[in-house]
Amino acid sequence: MKKPPKTILTDQDPWMKEAISKDLPSTKHSFCIWHITFKFSSWFNAILRDKYSKWCSDFYELYKLETCEEFEHQWPKVVAKYNLQSNKHVKGLYEIRNYWALAYLRDHFFGGMTTTGRSESINAFIKRFINSHTSLSDFTKQVDVAIDDIKQKEDHDIMLEKCKRINLKLMSPLQEQAHGVLTRFAFQKFQEEFERSTQYSIHHENGNEFVLRYYKDANSRKHMVFWDGKIATCSCKYFEFWGILCRHILSIFLHKDCHEIPSNYLPSRWRLQTSHDDDEVDPQQVNVVFEEQVDVVHCPPPSKTKGRPKRRRLKGGKELSHNMNTCGLCKDEYVGNVACGMILQSLEKKADVGIGM
């Protein structure tokens, strides 16, 4: 990589945590929430018994909180509710809250990923092409086959995008713009948020600041949105975490008659065609780097086997002479175009009797 990644997602490994914090200090490290909750049954099932399912539900609500202040305020209440103040696993979860609670991760772009399921799916995909008996050389060939398979599917999806259009459920300039710019996956996520943007009403408005609330529930969570015509932010930080505008900002766009999404809210990561910027790598530069890497990597030295060294049998004089030929009559050998004695005698007799003259 030219530079360290902005975020990284791993399972709960203390040695990985220490290595990333040491070698990638500017990278935001997150733990897979699935690996954490997977241990809950062995940690809390025997202690809580019939309250175990309720604890999991309350923990999930803590996990989804939007701000760090809310998390710090709600955590001791939930822990006291189940009398888990002295539980070592609960204490351990609180100590690493910066690595799994969304309230501490929403400011960083993770593409919406909270688990390592994508890497696990890649492992399962690669296993379709290899097995435990695959050698290292065959492994690299099979990986190329797997990449070609992915590339064919990508080309097929691109062809479908060009041949047919996604049916827009709501005709809007914002949707039309997003549909023409975003990939199929990104546009589907955008469309989900856009459809729900009409379900929010403005509870309070003060200049460029807006307070939104779900229209059916007067006690629902309030969302604070800022929009001055150029910059848009929301307290849910969906865009910062996903890279896609949230329903709350889109609701304000509709309210303020905004008919065009600013280009900075359509990240190049989710675009069908990305512009050339400083982060892109020149293909010629890649080739140069690749050649340099090839020069560095050498074949390992041949191993010396035990016993007598294998040598080829020494060839004799006849075997070494490549121009040696054999006569069809006397089976004698001659070199080049020099004929044997029997052929010469036969030619002399024919000349005496006048045959062939």
Side-chain angles (χ1 to χ4, degrees):
M1 294 184 180
K2 296 172 57 178
K3 57 184 179 181
K6 295 181 180 179
T7 56
I8 189 169
L9 181 63
T10 67
D11 57 356
Q12 189 181 355
D13 189 330
W15 302 112
M16 184 72 73
K17 173 178 174 293
E18 181 179 353
I20 292 174
S21 62
K22 179 180 179 181
D23 295 334
L24 304 173
S26 61
T27 300
K28 180 60 178 179
H29 185 197
S30 172
F31 289 154
C32 172
I33 190 60
W34 183 87
H35 284 90
I36 293 177
T37 56
F38 179 75
K39 307 172 187 177
F40 275 19
S41 60
S42 60
W43 288 353
F44 306 112
N45 199 1
I47 301 175
L48 301 177
R49 297 185 180 182
D50 56 339
K51 298 180 180 179
Y52 172 71
S53 59
K54 183 60 177 174
W55 154 257
C56 293
S57 178
D58 290 343
F59 178 85
Y60 186 65
E61 293 298 326
L62 287 172
Y63 167 72
K64 294 190 303 179
L65 291 176
E66 294 183 354
T67 63
C68 301
E69 292 76 12
E70 289 179 329
F71 182 87
E72 296 293 342
H73 180 70
Q74 295 294 332
W75 176 266
K77 293 183 178 180
V78 175
V79 172
K81 178 180 177 181
Y82 297 95
N83 196 20
L84 296 174
Q85 296 90 331
S86 59
N87 186 277
K88 62 178 182 179
H89 301 299
V90 173
K91 292 181 179 179
L93 288 173
Y94 182 76
E95 291 176 357
I96 61 171
R97 62 192 182 280
N98 295 337
Y99 294 88
W100 60 266
L102 290 180
Y104 295 92
L105 303 175
R106 293 184 186 276
D107 288 327
H108 306 274
F109 176 76
F110 280 90
M113 292 190 297
T114 58
T115 68
T116 56
R118 184 169 294 274
S119 63
E120 297 296 338
S121 64
I122 294 175
N123 295 339
F125 177 80
I126 294 296
K127 288 180 181 178
R128 291 167 47 192
F129 300 87
I130 63 174
N131 53 47
S132 58
H133 302 287
T134 304
S135 63
L136 184 59
S137 59
D138 292 337
F139 170 77
T140 56
K141 297 178 181 178
Q142 293 302 104
V143 169
D144 290 338
V145 173
I147 294 175
D148 290 339
D149 184 72
I150 295 176
K151 186 64 170 60
Q152 291 179 3
K153 292 181 179 179
E154 289 180 352
D155 295 339
H156 181 262
D157 293 339
I158 293 174
M159 181 187 66
L160 291 179
E161 286 289 337
K162 294 180 179 180
C163 295
K164 70 176 183 179
R165 295 174 59 87
I166 302 175
N167 294 327
L168 299 182
K169 299 179 181 179
L170 295 175
M171 296 304 298
S172 168
L174 299 178
Q175 273 191 315
E176 289 286 351
Q177 180 188 5
H179 176 255
V181 174
L182 301 178
T183 62
R184 177 187 291 268
F185 170 80
F187 177 72
Q188 289 177 350
K189 300 299 296 184
F190 175 86
Q191 197 171 24
E192 292 175 2
E193 295 299 313
F194 188 84
E195 291 174 358
R196 298 180 180 180
S197 63
T198 58
Q199 300 176 354
Y200 286 82
S201 58
I202 298 178
H203 179 71
H204 179 71
E205 180 178 354
N206 182 16
N208 297 328
E209 298 178 355
F210 307 86
V211 179
L212 280 73
R213 177 180 287 172
Y214 187 63
Y215 78 103
K216 281 188 177 181
D217 188 2
N219 297 323
S220 62
R221 175 187 294 275
K222 297 179 181 179
H223 298 276
M224 275 66 84
V225 177
F226 176 86
W227 168 243
D228 62 355
K230 296 181 180 179
I231 300 176
T233 59
C234 181
S235 59
C236 72
K237 298 181 180 178
Y238 189 86
F239 177 78
E240 288 80 358
F241 188 76
W242 261 98
I244 296 174
L245 288 174
C246 65
R247 63 197 71 172
H248 316 117
I249 294 179
L250 292 175
S251 179
I252 298 301
F253 281 1
L254 296 176
H255 173 72
K256 302 298 288 185
D257 296 330
C258 176
H259 302 300
E260 183 178 359
I261 302 173
S263 59
N264 56 319
Y265 293 106
L266 296 171
S268 58
R269 185 182 190 89
W270 298 130
R271 293 193 182 193
L272 290 171
Q273 296 179 351
T274 58
S275 59
H276 296 281
D277 50 19
D278 297 334
D279 293 336
E280 291 191 34
V281 181
D282 187 3
Q284 296 180 356
Q285 183 180 0
V286 175
N287 293 333
V288 172
V289 174
F290 178 76
E291 292 175 358
E292 293 177 355
Q293 293 296 330
V294 171
D295 294 336
V296 173
V297 181
H298 302 283
C299 296
S303 60
K304 296 181 179 180
T305 58
K306 296 181 179 180
R308 183 186 179 195
K310 296 182 180 180
R311 296 180 180 177
R312 294 184 178 181
R313 180 178 60 85
L314 297 178
K315 295 182 179 181
K318 295 182 178 180
E319 294 176 327
L320 294 176
S321 59
H322 300 288
N323 295 328
M324 191 70 71
N325 300 315
T326 305
C327 177
L329 298 175
C330 64
K331 306 300 181 182
D332 195 8
E333 296 175 345
Y334 61 91
V335 179
N337 296 324
V338 179
C340 64
M342 294 186 65
I343 295 177
L344 294 176
Q345 292 177 4
S346 176
L347 292 175
E348 291 175 356
K349 290 180 180 180
K350 291 181 180 179
D352 293 338
V353 298
I355 300 175
M357 299 300 291

